[in-house]
Amino acid sequence: MANWIQVAAETECPVGQLKGVTAAGTQIVLANFEGTIYALEDECSHEEFPLSDGELEGDEILCIYHGARFDCRTGKNMCLPAVRPVKALPVEVRDGQIFIDVN
């Protein structure tokens, strides 16, 4: 069963940007790639650093601490030093508000 939580306004995460938010005690990074919002758990799988401190380069989130990269749409690890993906979460935008399903 879905557990949708409102985490931000759509205007708070402009195209090409990342935004860190919290949903039900879980740190989430929002990524706006080409006008679509995606959500991943906000922790690099290589080290426990927040991905929201990084940069969105095309469709990849770059962890600025050690250079790991993740597909913002799926959480798939794209290069070393990350050897595991990060969890992607469902996103809905309703009336300009971003909701995340934390289940």
Side-chain angles (χ1 to χ4, degrees):
M1 184 158 111
N3 183 20
W4 294 99
I5 297 175
Q6 181 181 346
V7 294
E10 190 174 17
T11 57
E12 295 178 68
C13 189
V15 173
Q17 299 295 309
L18 301 174
K19 177 171 180 60
V21 297
T22 302
T26 301
Q27 296 299 114
I28 306 293
V29 59
L30 302 175
N32 188 331
F33 173 60
E34 296 183 343
T36 301
I37 306 287
Y38 299 94
L40 302 175
E41 286 189 348
D42 193 10
E43 184 176 282
C44 181
S45 65
H46 166 247
E47 295 270 341
E48 295 176 359
F49 291 115
L51 292 173
S52 58
D53 287 350
E55 298 173 2
L56 185 60
E57 295 183 348
D59 62 353
E60 294 181 359
I61 297 175
L62 168 65
C63 179
I64 62 168
Y65 295 99
H66 297 106
R69 290 178 176 270
F70 302 89
D71 185 309
C72 73
R73 299 163 295 188
T74 65
K76 181 181 184 324
N77 51 304
M78 303 305 291
C79 70
L80 294 174
V83 294
R84 294 182 324 276
V86 294
K87 183 178 179 182
L89 302 165
V91 177
E92 285 187 4
V93 178
R94 303 180 209 146
D95 297 323
Q97 299 298 312
I98 302 168
F99 291 81
I100 305 296
D101 180 4
V102 294
N103 280 336

